[in-house]
Amino acid sequence: MDKALTRPFKVAFALLAVTAGVAAYAANPVTDEKIAVAKASLDRAEQSGAPQAAPVELATARDKLARAEKENTDHHPKPAALLADQANIDAQVAEAMALQARSRKAATEFDTSMQALRQESTRASQPSQ
């Protein structure tokens, strides 16, 4: 009777193990989340002006994100997660560079307008002859 009960348990355990393996193989939520975060960072970088200010960094982020998606599709979660993290960082660098370029442009425009105001102020305070 022992052997009769053991066989169904072995079959059930094997089916459970196969089901768990297939579920783990089918999706990796951590990797999927990292890819989603990288996509969001890439979108923010694109909207911040990175295509003009940091095209190389943005292209690198896009390339790494595409490679991460391929690795994830091929069921290689560790390289996919690593590439997604790298794509996220590259996109953040591109966004920061774009923001820096905008800040630099605003500072230059401010300096130019201040110089114009100083010149106007100097002309207005000089006695007319």
mmCIF file of all heavy atoms in Angstrom, residues 58-94:
data_model
loop_
_atom_site.group_PDB
_atom_site.id
_atom_site.type_symbol
_atom_site.label_atom_id
_atom_site.label_comp_id
_atom_site.label_asym_id
_atom_site.label_seq_id
_atom_site.Cartn_x
_atom_site.Cartn_y
_atom_site.Cartn_z
ATOM 1 N N LEU A 58 21.562 59.166 -25.189
ATOM 2 C CA LEU A 58 20.200 58.701 -25.441
ATOM 3 C C LEU A 58 20.214 57.475 -26.350
ATOM 4 O O LEU A 58 19.475 56.513 -26.106
ATOM 5 C CB LEU A 58 19.366 59.827 -26.064
ATOM 6 C CG LEU A 58 17.871 59.594 -26.121
ATOM 7 C CD1 LEU A 58 17.289 59.427 -24.725
ATOM 8 C CD2 LEU A 58 17.196 60.754 -26.818
ATOM 9 N N ALA A 59 21.054 57.495 -27.370
ATOM 10 C CA ALA A 59 21.153 56.331 -28.265
ATOM 11 C C ALA A 59 21.675 55.106 -27.510
ATOM 12 O O ALA A 59 21.196 53.984 -27.732
ATOM 13 C CB ALA A 59 22.065 56.654 -29.442
ATOM 14 N N THR A 60 22.615 55.320 -26.606
ATOM 15 C CA THR A 60 23.140 54.221 -25.802
ATOM 16 C C THR A 60 22.039 53.634 -24.921
ATOM 17 O O THR A 60 21.907 52.411 -24.808
ATOM 18 C CB THR A 60 24.316 54.703 -24.929
ATOM 19 O OG1 THR A 60 25.334 55.223 -25.784
ATOM 20 C CG2 THR A 60 24.894 53.590 -24.094
ATOM 21 N N ALA A 61 21.234 54.498 -24.324
ATOM 22 C CA ALA A 61 20.127 54.039 -23.477
ATOM 23 C C ALA A 61 19.118 53.242 -24.304
ATOM 24 O O ALA A 61 18.649 52.177 -23.867
ATOM 25 C CB ALA A 61 19.442 55.225 -22.813
ATOM 26 N N ARG A 62 18.792 53.736 -25.484
ATOM 27 C CA ARG A 62 17.847 53.015 -26.355
ATOM 28 C C ARG A 62 18.389 51.641 -26.741
ATOM 29 O O ARG A 62 17.645 50.653 -26.736
ATOM 30 C CB ARG A 62 17.588 53.825 -27.624
ATOM 31 C CG ARG A 62 16.683 54.998 -27.433
ATOM 32 C CD ARG A 62 16.449 55.691 -28.765
ATOM 33 N NE ARG A 62 15.693 56.904 -28.597
ATOM 34 C CZ ARG A 62 15.971 58.049 -29.199
ATOM 35 N NH1 ARG A 62 16.990 58.144 -30.014
ATOM 36 N NH2 ARG A 62 15.213 59.105 -28.988
ATOM 37 N N ASP A 63 19.667 51.594 -27.082
ATOM 38 C CA ASP A 63 20.286 50.330 -27.475
ATOM 39 C C ASP A 63 20.259 49.328 -26.319
ATOM 40 O O ASP A 63 19.889 48.163 -26.507
ATOM 41 C CB ASP A 63 21.727 50.578 -27.929
ATOM 42 C CG ASP A 63 22.446 49.290 -28.284
ATOM 43 O OD1 ASP A 63 21.965 48.573 -29.193
ATOM 44 O OD2 ASP A 63 23.486 48.985 -27.648
ATOM 45 N N LYS A 64 20.623 49.782 -25.135
ATOM 46 C CA LYS A 64 20.637 48.876 -23.981
ATOM 47 C C LYS A 64 19.225 48.421 -23.617
ATOM 48 O O LYS A 64 19.028 47.265 -23.226
ATOM 49 C CB LYS A 64 21.322 49.545 -22.794
ATOM 50 C CG LYS A 64 22.826 49.632 -22.984
ATOM 51 C CD LYS A 64 23.507 50.291 -21.814
ATOM 52 C CE LYS A 64 25.007 50.416 -22.066
ATOM 53 N NZ LYS A 64 25.686 51.150 -20.994
ATOM 54 N N LEU A 65 18.258 49.302 -23.764
ATOM 55 C CA LEU A 65 16.876 48.915 -23.482
ATOM 56 C C LEU A 65 16.406 47.852 -24.483
ATOM 57 O O LEU A 65 15.783 46.865 -24.089
ATOM 58 C CB LEU A 65 15.951 50.130 -23.527
ATOM 59 C CG LEU A 65 14.477 49.838 -23.274
ATOM 60 C CD1 LEU A 65 14.269 49.194 -21.911
ATOM 61 C CD2 LEU A 65 13.658 51.107 -23.398
ATOM 62 N N ALA A 66 16.732 48.032 -25.745
ATOM 63 C CA ALA A 66 16.350 47.039 -26.756
ATOM 64 C C ALA A 66 17.014 45.697 -26.466
ATOM 65 O O ALA A 66 16.369 44.635 -26.584
ATOM 66 C CB ALA A 66 16.734 47.533 -28.148
ATOM 67 N N ARG A 67 18.277 45.738 -26.058
ATOM 68 C CA ARG A 67 18.980 44.489 -25.728
ATOM 69 C C ARG A 67 18.377 43.842 -24.482
ATOM 70 O O ARG A 67 18.253 42.616 -24.405
ATOM 71 C CB ARG A 67 20.468 44.763 -25.546
ATOM 72 C CG ARG A 67 21.145 45.065 -26.885
ATOM 73 C CD ARG A 67 22.581 45.545 -26.797
ATOM 74 N NE ARG A 67 23.397 44.922 -25.781
ATOM 75 C CZ ARG A 67 24.419 45.524 -25.173
ATOM 76 N NH1 ARG A 67 24.750 46.761 -25.491
ATOM 77 N NH2 ARG A 67 25.124 44.909 -24.260
ATOM 78 N N ALA A 68 17.974 44.667 -23.510
ATOM 79 C CA ALA A 68 17.339 44.141 -22.296
ATOM 80 C C ALA A 68 16.022 43.448 -22.642
ATOM 81 O O ALA A 68 15.731 42.353 -22.130
ATOM 82 C CB ALA A 68 17.093 45.262 -21.298
ATOM 83 N N GLU A 69 15.245 44.077 -23.515
ATOM 84 C CA GLU A 69 13.976 43.469 -23.922
ATOM 85 C C GLU A 69 14.209 42.139 -24.645
ATOM 86 O O GLU A 69 13.479 41.178 -24.441
ATOM 87 C CB GLU A 69 13.183 44.438 -24.795
ATOM 88 C CG GLU A 69 12.640 45.610 -24.001
ATOM 89 C CD GLU A 69 11.983 46.668 -24.858
ATOM 90 O OE1 GLU A 69 12.426 46.868 -26.017
ATOM 91 O OE2 GLU A 69 11.044 47.315 -24.360
ATOM 92 N N LYS A 70 15.236 42.081 -25.484
ATOM 93 C CA LYS A 70 15.535 40.836 -26.194
ATOM 94 C C LYS A 70 15.982 39.751 -25.219
ATOM 95 O O LYS A 70 15.526 38.611 -25.314
ATOM 96 C CB LYS A 70 16.615 41.066 -27.243
ATOM 97 C CG LYS A 70 17.017 39.764 -27.940
ATOM 98 C CD LYS A 70 17.600 39.971 -29.275
ATOM 99 C CE LYS A 70 17.997 38.718 -30.005
ATOM 100 N NZ LYS A 70 17.614 37.442 -29.488
ATOM 101 N N GLU A 71 16.854 40.102 -24.291
ATOM 102 C CA GLU A 71 17.300 39.120 -23.292
ATOM 103 C C GLU A 71 16.124 38.627 -22.466
ATOM 104 O O GLU A 71 16.025 37.438 -22.149
ATOM 105 C CB GLU A 71 18.370 39.732 -22.374
ATOM 106 C CG GLU A 71 19.702 39.971 -23.035
ATOM 107 C CD GLU A 71 20.448 38.705 -23.414
ATOM 108 O OE1 GLU A 71 20.206 37.626 -22.827
ATOM 109 O OE2 GLU A 71 21.296 38.785 -24.315
ATOM 110 N N ASN A 72 15.210 39.530 -22.127
ATOM 111 C CA ASN A 72 14.035 39.138 -21.355
ATOM 112 C C ASN A 72 13.139 38.204 -22.164
ATOM 113 O O ASN A 72 12.630 37.218 -21.641
ATOM 114 C CB ASN A 72 13.266 40.383 -20.913
ATOM 115 C CG ASN A 72 12.312 40.093 -19.785
ATOM 116 O OD1 ASN A 72 12.566 39.250 -18.933
ATOM 117 N ND2 ASN A 72 11.201 40.809 -19.757
ATOM 118 N N THR A 73 12.976 38.519 -23.439
ATOM 119 C CA THR A 73 12.178 37.657 -24.312
ATOM 120 C C THR A 73 12.815 36.277 -24.451
ATOM 121 O O THR A 73 12.116 35.267 -24.520
ATOM 122 C CB THR A 73 12.036 38.310 -25.710
ATOM 123 O OG1 THR A 73 11.407 39.575 -25.553
ATOM 124 C CG2 THR A 73 11.224 37.450 -26.647
ATOM 125 N N ASP A 74 14.143 36.248 -24.465
ATOM 126 C CA ASP A 74 14.877 34.984 -24.577
ATOM 127 C C ASP A 74 15.019 34.275 -23.226
ATOM 128 O O ASP A 74 15.758 33.295 -23.121
ATOM 129 C CB ASP A 74 16.267 35.220 -25.173
ATOM 130 C CG ASP A 74 16.210 35.680 -26.618
ATOM 131 O OD1 ASP A 74 15.149 35.526 -27.257
ATOM 132 O OD2 ASP A 74 17.233 36.209 -27.105
ATOM 133 N N HIS A 75 14.327 34.789 -22.212
ATOM 134 C CA HIS A 75 14.323 34.193 -20.873
ATOM 135 C C HIS A 75 15.707 34.169 -20.232
ATOM 136 O O HIS A 75 16.127 33.178 -19.645
ATOM 137 C CB HIS A 75 13.710 32.782 -20.897
ATOM 138 C CG HIS A 75 12.337 32.758 -21.464
ATOM 139 N ND1 HIS A 75 11.254 33.283 -20.801
ATOM 140 C CD2 HIS A 75 11.860 32.324 -22.660
ATOM 141 C CE1 HIS A 75 10.174 33.149 -21.551
ATOM 142 N NE2 HIS A 75 10.505 32.578 -22.684
ATOM 143 N N HIS A 76 16.395 35.288 -20.319
ATOM 144 C CA HIS A 76 17.675 35.491 -19.641
ATOM 145 C C HIS A 76 17.492 36.677 -18.687
ATOM 146 O O HIS A 76 17.869 37.809 -19.015
ATOM 147 C CB HIS A 76 18.800 35.773 -20.642
ATOM 148 C CG HIS A 76 18.993 34.683 -21.634
ATOM 149 N ND1 HIS A 76 18.995 34.895 -22.988
ATOM 150 C CD2 HIS A 76 19.187 33.343 -21.467
ATOM 151 C CE1 HIS A 76 19.179 33.744 -23.618
ATOM 152 N NE2 HIS A 76 19.294 32.797 -22.712
ATOM 153 N N PRO A 77 16.909 36.441 -17.515
ATOM 154 C CA PRO A 77 16.535 37.560 -16.644
ATOM 155 C C PRO A 77 17.710 38.355 -16.073
ATOM 156 O O PRO A 77 17.607 39.575 -15.927
ATOM 157 C CB PRO A 77 15.729 36.898 -15.522
ATOM 158 C CG PRO A 77 16.119 35.469 -15.546
ATOM 159 C CD PRO A 77 16.499 35.155 -16.960
ATOM 160 N N LYS A 78 18.814 37.699 -15.744
ATOM 161 C CA LYS A 78 19.923 38.444 -15.132
ATOM 162 C C LYS A 78 20.541 39.452 -16.098
ATOM 163 O O LYS A 78 20.672 40.623 -15.754
ATOM 164 C CB LYS A 78 20.978 37.486 -14.578
ATOM 165 C CG LYS A 78 20.516 36.804 -13.309
ATOM 166 C CD LYS A 78 21.586 35.938 -12.715
ATOM 167 C CE LYS A 78 21.055 35.246 -11.470
ATOM 168 N NZ LYS A 78 22.054 34.391 -10.841
ATOM 169 N N PRO A 79 20.924 39.035 -17.323
ATOM 170 C CA PRO A 79 21.462 40.052 -18.238
ATOM 171 C C PRO A 79 20.414 41.097 -18.620
ATOM 172 O O PRO A 79 20.742 42.273 -18.808
ATOM 173 C CB PRO A 79 21.929 39.271 -19.464
ATOM 174 C CG PRO A 79 21.658 37.841 -19.220
ATOM 175 C CD PRO A 79 21.028 37.700 -17.872
ATOM 176 N N ALA A 80 19.155 40.691 -18.697
ATOM 177 C CA ALA A 80 18.092 41.642 -19.032
ATOM 178 C C ALA A 80 17.961 42.701 -17.947
ATOM 179 O O ALA A 80 17.854 43.895 -18.238
ATOM 180 C CB ALA A 80 16.766 40.904 -19.224
ATOM 181 N N ALA A 81 17.988 42.276 -16.696
ATOM 182 C CA ALA A 81 17.875 43.229 -15.581
ATOM 183 C C ALA A 81 19.084 44.161 -15.546
ATOM 184 O O ALA A 81 18.933 45.370 -15.324
ATOM 185 C CB ALA A 81 17.744 42.472 -14.262
ATOM 186 N N LEU A 82 20.259 43.623 -15.777
ATOM 187 C CA LEU A 82 21.472 44.444 -15.780
ATOM 188 C C LEU A 82 21.425 45.486 -16.897
ATOM 189 O O LEU A 82 21.711 46.668 -16.676
ATOM 190 C CB LEU A 82 22.704 43.557 -15.941
ATOM 191 C CG LEU A 82 24.046 44.271 -15.968
ATOM 192 C CD1 LEU A 82 24.318 44.958 -14.643
ATOM 193 C CD2 LEU A 82 25.166 43.286 -16.281
ATOM 194 N N LEU A 83 21.036 45.067 -18.078
ATOM 195 C CA LEU A 83 20.940 45.998 -19.208
ATOM 196 C C LEU A 83 19.854 47.052 -18.970
ATOM 197 O O LEU A 83 20.022 48.219 -19.325
ATOM 198 C CB LEU A 83 20.675 45.237 -20.507
ATOM 199 C CG LEU A 83 21.873 44.494 -21.081
ATOM 200 C CD1 LEU A 83 21.430 43.481 -22.124
ATOM 201 C CD2 LEU A 83 22.863 45.478 -21.689
ATOM 202 N N ALA A 84 18.747 46.637 -18.362
ATOM 203 C CA ALA A 84 17.668 47.595 -18.063
ATOM 204 C C ALA A 84 18.154 48.640 -17.065
ATOM 205 O O ALA A 84 17.870 49.834 -17.216
ATOM 206 C CB ALA A 84 16.446 46.864 -17.528
ATOM 207 N N ASP A 85 18.907 48.203 -16.050
ATOM 208 C CA ASP A 85 19.469 49.156 -15.091
ATOM 209 C C ASP A 85 20.424 50.134 -15.788
ATOM 210 O O ASP A 85 20.399 51.338 -15.530
ATOM 211 C CB ASP A 85 20.222 48.428 -13.971
ATOM 212 C CG ASP A 85 19.294 47.772 -12.959
ATOM 213 O OD1 ASP A 85 18.111 48.173 -12.875
ATOM 214 O OD2 ASP A 85 19.760 46.851 -12.253
ATOM 215 N N GLN A 86 21.256 49.617 -16.662
ATOM 216 C CA GLN A 86 22.199 50.470 -17.386
ATOM 217 C C GLN A 86 21.465 51.447 -18.297
ATOM 218 O O GLN A 86 21.839 52.622 -18.398
ATOM 219 C CB GLN A 86 23.181 49.620 -18.187
ATOM 220 C CG GLN A 86 24.149 48.841 -17.328
ATOM 221 C CD GLN A 86 25.012 47.892 -18.138
ATOM 222 O OE1 GLN A 86 24.899 47.789 -19.352
ATOM 223 N NE2 GLN A 86 25.897 47.185 -17.444
ATOM 224 N N ALA A 87 20.421 50.972 -18.968
ATOM 225 C CA ALA A 87 19.625 51.848 -19.840
ATOM 226 C C ALA A 87 18.975 52.962 -19.021
ATOM 227 O O ALA A 87 18.936 54.123 -19.438
ATOM 228 C CB ALA A 87 18.560 51.039 -20.576
ATOM 229 N N ASN A 88 18.489 52.613 -17.841
ATOM 230 C CA ASN A 88 17.879 53.600 -16.954
ATOM 231 C C ASN A 88 18.895 54.675 -16.571
ATOM 232 O O ASN A 88 18.606 55.874 -16.651
ATOM 233 C CB ASN A 88 17.349 52.891 -15.703
ATOM 234 C CG ASN A 88 16.664 53.831 -14.739
ATOM 235 O OD1 ASN A 88 16.070 54.828 -15.134
ATOM 236 N ND2 ASN A 88 16.758 53.523 -13.469
ATOM 237 N N ILE A 89 20.090 54.261 -16.197
ATOM 238 C CA ILE A 89 21.133 55.223 -15.812
ATOM 239 C C ILE A 89 21.535 56.092 -17.001
ATOM 240 O O ILE A 89 21.666 57.311 -16.871
ATOM 241 C CB ILE A 89 22.344 54.484 -15.212
ATOM 242 C CG1 ILE A 89 21.961 53.884 -13.855
ATOM 243 C CG2 ILE A 89 23.539 55.420 -15.064
ATOM 244 C CD1 ILE A 89 22.960 52.900 -13.301
ATOM 245 N N ASP A 90 21.719 55.477 -18.164
ATOM 246 C CA ASP A 90 22.085 56.247 -19.353
ATOM 247 C C ASP A 90 21.002 57.269 -19.696
ATOM 248 O O ASP A 90 21.304 58.404 -20.082
ATOM 249 C CB ASP A 90 22.340 55.317 -20.541
ATOM 250 C CG ASP A 90 23.609 54.494 -20.386
ATOM 251 O OD1 ASP A 90 24.490 54.889 -19.590
ATOM 252 O OD2 ASP A 90 23.719 53.459 -21.072
ATOM 253 N N ALA A 91 19.745 56.874 -19.563
ATOM 254 C CA ALA A 91 18.643 57.802 -19.848
ATOM 255 C C ALA A 91 18.631 58.949 -18.839
ATOM 256 O O ALA A 91 18.390 60.107 -19.199
ATOM 257 C CB ALA A 91 17.310 57.057 -19.828
ATOM 258 N N GLN A 92 18.915 58.643 -17.573
ATOM 259 C CA GLN A 92 18.971 59.694 -16.557
ATOM 260 C C GLN A 92 20.128 60.663 -16.824
ATOM 261 O O GLN A 92 19.986 61.870 -16.630
ATOM 262 C CB GLN A 92 19.100 59.084 -15.163
ATOM 263 C CG GLN A 92 17.835 58.399 -14.696
ATOM 264 C CD GLN A 92 18.003 57.716 -13.355
ATOM 265 O OE1 GLN A 92 19.067 57.737 -12.745
ATOM 266 N NE2 GLN A 92 16.940 57.086 -12.886
ATOM 267 N N VAL A 93 21.251 60.131 -17.284
ATOM 268 C CA VAL A 93 22.388 60.998 -17.636
ATOM 269 C C VAL A 93 22.000 61.899 -18.806
ATOM 270 O O VAL A 93 22.282 63.103 -18.797
ATOM 271 C CB VAL A 93 23.645 60.154 -17.970
ATOM 272 C CG1 VAL A 93 24.720 60.997 -18.629
ATOM 273 C CG2 VAL A 93 24.180 59.488 -16.710
ATOM 274 N N ALA A 94 21.350 61.331 -19.807
ATOM 275 C CA ALA A 94 20.915 62.125 -20.963
ATOM 276 C C ALA A 94 19.948 63.221 -20.532
ATOM 277 O O ALA A 94 20.053 64.371 -20.978
ATOM 278 C CB ALA A 94 20.271 61.214 -22.012
#
